[in-house]
Amino acid sequence: LFPYTTLFQSRDHSISAGVFSGCENLLSVEIPSSVETIGNNAFGDCRRLSNLEIPNSVKIIGRSAFSSCQALSTLTIPNSVETIGDKAFRDCTNLIVVYLGANIKKISDEAFLYCNKLANFYCFSKNIDYVSATAFKYTNLQNVTLHVPNSAIDYYRSTDPWNKFGNIVALTDDETGINKVMINNEVMDTYLLNGQRTARKSLVFLPIHPPTA
């Protein structure tokens, strides 16, 4: 199969569980601003996925949603995201930089397990309700710099697992919250959000049911 790009165009509010799991030739994903939930294992084992746009509408990233996406090097999680599920980014072994938005409330078990190349983690939240003690399991946090709001630096330095980061520094004035990253790639095939392939030659994700006004 040739490498391809996904471009969603839908008013559906979720991406189904496992819908693109194991699509090893998937290079790039753009998700529409209608989506609020990315289902469990939706893009798991998409090992060539290197460009990912999560819009500032998504609230929940499901269990193993992007696990083993080993070509990802930069990850932007927008301000809208409140929950990161278990193993959501497990085994993203080439992930170097993460930007985490200001409204995150929960980071679940092993969310960033085995992210061994992680070097910088930017967190714009001043206080997170729950972070699992295993969220960064088997990730060498001593080699990672954590960037946090200046007013919350004492909180992060005294709270597990944040206090295991090798270096904790204040965000600079020009580092702001996150909305989205724009990606522009060629489109080659068409699917519905439930994973059903259509007959078209472009990868445009269409609603399963006609959108309502």
Side-chain angles (χ1 to χ4, degrees), residues 8-17 19-20 32 34-35 190-198 204-212:
F8 293 90
Q9 290 185 349
S10 172
R11 293 185 183 179
D12 284 9
H13 296 301
S14 64
I15 298 175
S16 301
V19 67
F20 290 104
S34 62
V35 172
T190 304
Y191 290 79
L192 301 175
L193 277 181
N194 65 357
Q196 179 182 349
R197 188 173 183 174
T198 72
V204 177
F205 286 71
L206 306 172
I208 299 170
H209 304 291
T212 58

Side-chain angles (χ1 to χ4, degrees), residues 46-130:
C46 292
R47 296 177 182 272
R48 297 181 67 186
L49 178 63
S50 58
N51 291 319
L52 171 63
E53 179 190 345
I54 302 174
N56 198 34
S57 60
V58 171
K59 295 181 180 179
I60 298 172
I61 298 175
R63 176 185 175 93
S64 300
F66 297 97
S67 62
S68 297
C69 290
Q70 296 178 350
L72 279 178
S73 61
T74 300
L75 172 65
T76 299
I77 301 173
N79 289 325
S80 59
V81 173
E82 297 177 354
T83 299
I84 298 174
D86 296 352
K87 302 178 175 67
F89 299 97
R90 171 195 168 117
D91 202 30
C92 291
T93 52
N94 285 296
L95 191 60
I96 297 172
V97 181
V98 173
Y99 298 91
L100 180 60
N103 296 313
I104 186 69
K105 295 179 179 178
K106 181 180 181 180
I107 303 177
S108 304
D109 294 344
E110 301 180 355
F112 294 95
L113 180 75
Y114 291 125
C115 294
N116 296 319
K117 290 187 179 180
L118 191 62
N120 286 281
F121 195 99
Y122 294 81
C123 183
F124 296 90
S125 176
K126 295 180 180 180
N127 191 354
I128 303 175
D129 293 345
Y130 174 78

Side-chain angles (χ1 to χ4, degrees), residues 27-46:
L27 300 181
S28 178
V29 172
E30 296 183 35
I31 299 171
S33 58
S34 62
V35 172
E36 296 180 357
T37 300
I38 299 174
N40 295 345
N41 201 36
F43 297 95
D45 292 303
C46 292

Side-chain angles (χ1 to χ4, degrees), residues 162-180:
W162 304 111
N163 55 11
K164 293 182 171 62
F165 280 72
N167 192 23
I168 302 176
V169 300
L171 290 162
T172 62
D173 291 339
D174 59 348
E175 293 166 340
T176 59
I178 304 161
N179 290 312
K180 63 180 180 178

